[in-house]
Amino acid sequence: MGHAVMTHAPTQPSEIHAHHLPTALATRVDELLDQANEYADHRELTASALIHAQVIHLIGIRPPASGELTRCTCQGCYCDRIFDAAKARTYMDGTVEFVQCIGCADEHPRTGNE
């Protein structure tokens, strides 16, 4: 009877806080995510998806099922988490849409009426 050999691959996180990245990399990630959003706004979804894939590779996180990342822009705290866009919670404050990660939405949900 043979024995199975299992190797333990390092696990990648599914999200990251931007302040944990080197400053130059965090700045580049912000620029790329802004560019991806611009492409998405103009329905250039392939270009947007390619940029998201580039960001995922640069920051070394596990690719989310949605393939799309977003940043937490919660006004209730200073959270700079980059995570799976499919898990985002959003709220409007006037005409501006803000994004909350799951942690912020659970700890201090915002509605825009605060």
PDB file of all heavy atoms in Angstrom, residues 28-46:
ATOM      1  N   ARG A  28       0.412  52.620  -6.246  1.00  0.00           N
ATOM      2  CA  ARG A  28       0.191  51.997  -7.572  1.00  0.00           C
ATOM      3  C   ARG A  28      -1.120  51.223  -7.589  1.00  0.00           C
ATOM      4  O   ARG A  28      -1.866  51.273  -8.563  1.00  0.00           O
ATOM      5  CB  ARG A  28       1.370  51.075  -7.910  1.00  0.00           C
ATOM      6  CG  ARG A  28       1.261  50.436  -9.263  1.00  0.00           C
ATOM      7  CD  ARG A  28       1.367  51.482 -10.372  1.00  0.00           C
ATOM      8  NE  ARG A  28       1.233  50.820 -11.658  1.00  0.00           N
ATOM      9  CZ  ARG A  28       0.554  51.329 -12.678  1.00  0.00           C
ATOM     10  NH1 ARG A  28      -0.022  52.507 -12.578  1.00  0.00           N
ATOM     11  NH2 ARG A  28       0.474  50.680 -13.804  1.00  0.00           N
ATOM     12  N   VAL A  29      -1.436  50.506  -6.524  1.00  0.00           N
ATOM     13  CA  VAL A  29      -2.685  49.755  -6.431  1.00  0.00           C
ATOM     14  C   VAL A  29      -3.874  50.708  -6.501  1.00  0.00           C
ATOM     15  O   VAL A  29      -4.838  50.446  -7.224  1.00  0.00           O
ATOM     16  CB  VAL A  29      -2.714  48.895  -5.147  1.00  0.00           C
ATOM     17  CG1 VAL A  29      -4.108  48.382  -4.843  1.00  0.00           C
ATOM     18  CG2 VAL A  29      -1.732  47.736  -5.272  1.00  0.00           C
ATOM     19  N   ASP A  30      -3.805  51.829  -5.787  1.00  0.00           N
ATOM     20  CA  ASP A  30      -4.880  52.827  -5.858  1.00  0.00           C
ATOM     21  C   ASP A  30      -5.077  53.326  -7.282  1.00  0.00           C
ATOM     22  O   ASP A  30      -6.203  53.439  -7.769  1.00  0.00           O
ATOM     23  CB  ASP A  30      -4.585  54.018  -4.941  1.00  0.00           C
ATOM     24  CG  ASP A  30      -5.046  53.802  -3.524  1.00  0.00           C
ATOM     25  OD1 ASP A  30      -5.865  52.885  -3.278  1.00  0.00           O
ATOM     26  OD2 ASP A  30      -4.585  54.563  -2.645  1.00  0.00           O
ATOM     27  N   GLU A  31      -3.969  53.642  -7.949  1.00  0.00           N
ATOM     28  CA  GLU A  31      -4.041  54.118  -9.332  1.00  0.00           C
ATOM     29  C   GLU A  31      -4.676  53.066 -10.231  1.00  0.00           C
ATOM     30  O   GLU A  31      -5.530  53.383 -11.069  1.00  0.00           O
ATOM     31  CB  GLU A  31      -2.645  54.462  -9.847  1.00  0.00           C
ATOM     32  CG  GLU A  31      -2.020  55.663  -9.194  1.00  0.00           C
ATOM     33  CD  GLU A  31      -0.537  55.818  -9.511  1.00  0.00           C
ATOM     34  OE1 GLU A  31       0.069  54.914 -10.134  1.00  0.00           O
ATOM     35  OE2 GLU A  31       0.038  56.853  -9.113  1.00  0.00           O
ATOM     36  N   LEU A  32      -4.253  51.814 -10.076  1.00  0.00           N
ATOM     37  CA  LEU A  32      -4.793  50.750 -10.919  1.00  0.00           C
ATOM     38  C   LEU A  32      -6.274  50.498 -10.646  1.00  0.00           C
ATOM     39  O   LEU A  32      -7.056  50.312 -11.587  1.00  0.00           O
ATOM     40  CB  LEU A  32      -3.995  49.461 -10.721  1.00  0.00           C
ATOM     41  CG  LEU A  32      -2.600  49.455 -11.339  1.00  0.00           C
ATOM     42  CD1 LEU A  32      -1.797  48.258 -10.844  1.00  0.00           C
ATOM     43  CD2 LEU A  32      -2.677  49.465 -12.861  1.00  0.00           C
ATOM     44  N   LEU A  33      -6.674  50.507  -9.378  1.00  0.00           N
ATOM     45  CA  LEU A  33      -8.087  50.295  -9.069  1.00  0.00           C
ATOM     46  C   LEU A  33      -8.940  51.452  -9.591  1.00  0.00           C
ATOM     47  O   LEU A  33     -10.056  51.228 -10.085  1.00  0.00           O
ATOM     48  CB  LEU A  33      -8.296  50.077  -7.576  1.00  0.00           C
ATOM     49  CG  LEU A  33      -7.774  48.747  -7.037  1.00  0.00           C
ATOM     50  CD1 LEU A  33      -7.932  48.679  -5.522  1.00  0.00           C
ATOM     51  CD2 LEU A  33      -8.470  47.569  -7.704  1.00  0.00           C
ATOM     52  N   ASP A  34      -8.431  52.673  -9.522  1.00  0.00           N
ATOM     53  CA  ASP A  34      -9.148  53.813 -10.114  1.00  0.00           C
ATOM     54  C   ASP A  34      -9.293  53.637 -11.619  1.00  0.00           C
ATOM     55  O   ASP A  34     -10.354  53.887 -12.193  1.00  0.00           O
ATOM     56  CB  ASP A  34      -8.424  55.128  -9.810  1.00  0.00           C
ATOM     57  CG  ASP A  34      -8.552  55.553  -8.360  1.00  0.00           C
ATOM     58  OD1 ASP A  34      -9.446  55.045  -7.640  1.00  0.00           O
ATOM     59  OD2 ASP A  34      -7.728  56.412  -7.930  1.00  0.00           O
ATOM     60  N   GLN A  35      -8.222  53.183 -12.254  1.00  0.00           N
ATOM     61  CA  GLN A  35      -8.253  52.953 -13.701  1.00  0.00           C
ATOM     62  C   GLN A  35      -9.235  51.841 -14.047  1.00  0.00           C
ATOM     63  O   GLN A  35     -10.002  51.960 -15.003  1.00  0.00           O
ATOM     64  CB  GLN A  35      -6.847  52.601 -14.189  1.00  0.00           C
ATOM     65  CG  GLN A  35      -6.723  52.498 -15.688  1.00  0.00           C
ATOM     66  CD  GLN A  35      -5.288  52.187 -16.122  1.00  0.00           C
ATOM     67  OE1 GLN A  35      -4.435  51.839 -15.292  1.00  0.00           O
ATOM     68  NE2 GLN A  35      -5.032  52.306 -17.395  1.00  0.00           N
ATOM     69  N   ALA A  36      -9.258  50.774 -13.270  1.00  0.00           N
ATOM     70  CA  ALA A  36     -10.206  49.676 -13.507  1.00  0.00           C
ATOM     71  C   ALA A  36     -11.641  50.177 -13.376  1.00  0.00           C
ATOM     72  O   ALA A  36     -12.510  49.793 -14.173  1.00  0.00           O
ATOM     73  CB  ALA A  36      -9.943  48.534 -12.525  1.00  0.00           C
ATOM     74  N   ASN A  37     -11.894  51.032 -12.382  1.00  0.00           N
ATOM     75  CA  ASN A  37     -13.237  51.591 -12.213  1.00  0.00           C
ATOM     76  C   ASN A  37     -13.636  52.455 -13.405  1.00  0.00           C
ATOM     77  O   ASN A  37     -14.794  52.421 -13.839  1.00  0.00           O
ATOM     78  CB  ASN A  37     -13.326  52.407 -10.921  1.00  0.00           C
ATOM     79  CG  ASN A  37     -13.317  51.528  -9.699  1.00  0.00           C
ATOM     80  OD1 ASN A  37     -13.623  50.342  -9.762  1.00  0.00           O
ATOM     81  ND2 ASN A  37     -12.935  52.108  -8.571  1.00  0.00           N
ATOM     82  N   GLU A  38     -12.696  53.228 -13.927  1.00  0.00           N
ATOM     83  CA  GLU A  38     -12.986  54.050 -15.107  1.00  0.00           C
ATOM     84  C   GLU A  38     -13.342  53.170 -16.299  1.00  0.00           C
ATOM     85  O   GLU A  38     -14.297  53.454 -17.030  1.00  0.00           O
ATOM     86  CB  GLU A  38     -11.791  54.940 -15.443  1.00  0.00           C
ATOM     87  CG  GLU A  38     -11.602  56.072 -14.467  1.00  0.00           C
ATOM     88  CD  GLU A  38     -10.377  56.912 -14.792  1.00  0.00           C
ATOM     89  OE1 GLU A  38      -9.988  56.999 -15.980  1.00  0.00           O
ATOM     90  OE2 GLU A  38      -9.796  57.467 -13.841  1.00  0.00           O
ATOM     91  N   TYR A  39     -12.582  52.098 -16.505  1.00  0.00           N
ATOM     92  CA  TYR A  39     -12.900  51.176 -17.600  1.00  0.00           C
ATOM     93  C   TYR A  39     -14.282  50.560 -17.400  1.00  0.00           C
ATOM     94  O   TYR A  39     -15.072  50.467 -18.337  1.00  0.00           O
ATOM     95  CB  TYR A  39     -11.855  50.063 -17.704  1.00  0.00           C
ATOM     96  CG  TYR A  39     -10.596  50.468 -18.436  1.00  0.00           C
ATOM     97  CD1 TYR A  39      -9.349  50.294 -17.855  1.00  0.00           C
ATOM     98  CD2 TYR A  39     -10.650  50.988 -19.725  1.00  0.00           C
ATOM     99  CE1 TYR A  39      -8.182  50.651 -18.521  1.00  0.00           C
ATOM    100  CE2 TYR A  39      -9.500  51.349 -20.399  1.00  0.00           C
ATOM    101  CZ  TYR A  39      -8.269  51.182 -19.803  1.00  0.00           C
ATOM    102  OH  TYR A  39      -7.128  51.533 -20.474  1.00  0.00           O
ATOM    103  N   ALA A  40     -14.586  50.158 -16.186  1.00  0.00           N
ATOM    104  CA  ALA A  40     -15.892  49.554 -15.909  1.00  0.00           C
ATOM    105  C   ALA A  40     -17.018  50.560 -16.149  1.00  0.00           C
ATOM    106  O   ALA A  40     -18.072  50.201 -16.689  1.00  0.00           O
ATOM    107  CB  ALA A  40     -15.938  49.022 -14.485  1.00  0.00           C
ATOM    108  N   ASP A  41     -16.799  51.810 -15.748  1.00  0.00           N
ATOM    109  CA  ASP A  41     -17.810  52.854 -15.971  1.00  0.00           C
ATOM    110  C   ASP A  41     -18.111  53.050 -17.448  1.00  0.00           C
ATOM    111  O   ASP A  41     -19.221  53.432 -17.815  1.00  0.00           O
ATOM    112  CB  ASP A  41     -17.362  54.187 -15.366  1.00  0.00           C
ATOM    113  CG  ASP A  41     -17.386  54.187 -13.849  1.00  0.00           C
ATOM    114  OD1 ASP A  41     -18.008  53.272 -13.246  1.00  0.00           O
ATOM    115  OD2 ASP A  41     -16.767  55.100 -13.254  1.00  0.00           O
ATOM    116  N   HIS A  42     -17.120  52.787 -18.296  1.00  0.00           N
ATOM    117  CA  HIS A  42     -17.287  52.930 -19.747  1.00  0.00           C
ATOM    118  C   HIS A  42     -17.576  51.594 -20.431  1.00  0.00           C
ATOM    119  O   HIS A  42     -17.445  51.474 -21.646  1.00  0.00           O
ATOM    120  CB  HIS A  42     -16.037  53.584 -20.356  1.00  0.00           C
ATOM    121  CG  HIS A  42     -15.863  54.998 -19.928  1.00  0.00           C
ATOM    122  ND1 HIS A  42     -15.041  55.364 -18.891  1.00  0.00           N
ATOM    123  CD2 HIS A  42     -16.451  56.146 -20.361  1.00  0.00           C
ATOM    124  CE1 HIS A  42     -15.105  56.672 -18.718  1.00  0.00           C
ATOM    125  NE2 HIS A  42     -15.956  57.167 -19.589  1.00  0.00           N
ATOM    126  N   ARG A  43     -17.940  50.607 -19.625  1.00  0.00           N
ATOM    127  CA  ARG A  43     -18.309  49.269 -20.119  1.00  0.00           C
ATOM    128  C   ARG A  43     -17.173  48.564 -20.850  1.00  0.00           C
ATOM    129  O   ARG A  43     -17.399  47.726 -21.711  1.00  0.00           O
ATOM    130  CB  ARG A  43     -19.548  49.320 -21.008  1.00  0.00           C
ATOM    131  CG  ARG A  43     -20.772  49.866 -20.332  1.00  0.00           C
ATOM    132  CD  ARG A  43     -21.300  48.849 -19.367  1.00  0.00           C
ATOM    133  NE  ARG A  43     -22.544  49.337 -18.758  1.00  0.00           N
ATOM    134  CZ  ARG A  43     -22.791  49.258 -17.483  1.00  0.00           C
ATOM    135  NH1 ARG A  43     -21.932  48.732 -16.667  1.00  0.00           N
ATOM    136  NH2 ARG A  43     -23.925  49.703 -17.002  1.00  0.00           N
ATOM    137  N   GLU A  44     -15.949  48.895 -20.508  1.00  0.00           N
ATOM    138  CA  GLU A  44     -14.783  48.205 -21.048  1.00  0.00           C
ATOM    139  C   GLU A  44     -14.377  47.159 -20.013  1.00  0.00           C
ATOM    140  O   GLU A  44     -13.367  47.280 -19.317  1.00  0.00           O
ATOM    141  CB  GLU A  44     -13.661  49.196 -21.346  1.00  0.00           C
ATOM    142  CG  GLU A  44     -14.052  50.204 -22.423  1.00  0.00           C
ATOM    143  CD  GLU A  44     -12.968  51.213 -22.694  1.00  0.00           C
ATOM    144  OE1 GLU A  44     -11.781  50.821 -22.734  1.00  0.00           O
ATOM    145  OE2 GLU A  44     -13.307  52.395 -22.868  1.00  0.00           O
ATOM    146  N   LEU A  45     -15.204  46.118 -19.926  1.00  0.00           N
ATOM    147  CA  LEU A  45     -15.094  45.155 -18.835  1.00  0.00           C
ATOM    148  C   LEU A  45     -13.868  44.248 -18.945  1.00  0.00           C
ATOM    149  O   LEU A  45     -13.323  43.837 -17.920  1.00  0.00           O
ATOM    150  CB  LEU A  45     -16.378  44.343 -18.742  1.00  0.00           C
ATOM    151  CG  LEU A  45     -17.642  45.193 -18.515  1.00  0.00           C
ATOM    152  CD1 LEU A  45     -18.863  44.295 -18.402  1.00  0.00           C
ATOM    153  CD2 LEU A  45     -17.502  46.098 -17.316  1.00  0.00           C
ATOM    154  N   THR A  46     -13.441  43.949 -20.148  1.00  0.00           N
ATOM    155  CA  THR A  46     -12.244  43.116 -20.302  1.00  0.00           C
ATOM    156  C   THR A  46     -11.019  43.854 -19.765  1.00  0.00           C
ATOM    157  O   THR A  46     -10.218  43.281 -19.024  1.00  0.00           O
ATOM    158  CB  THR A  46     -12.031  42.726 -21.775  1.00  0.00           C
ATOM    159  OG1 THR A  46     -13.179  41.997 -22.216  1.00  0.00           O
ATOM    160  CG2 THR A  46     -10.791  41.868 -21.950  1.00  0.00           C
TER     161      THR A  46
END
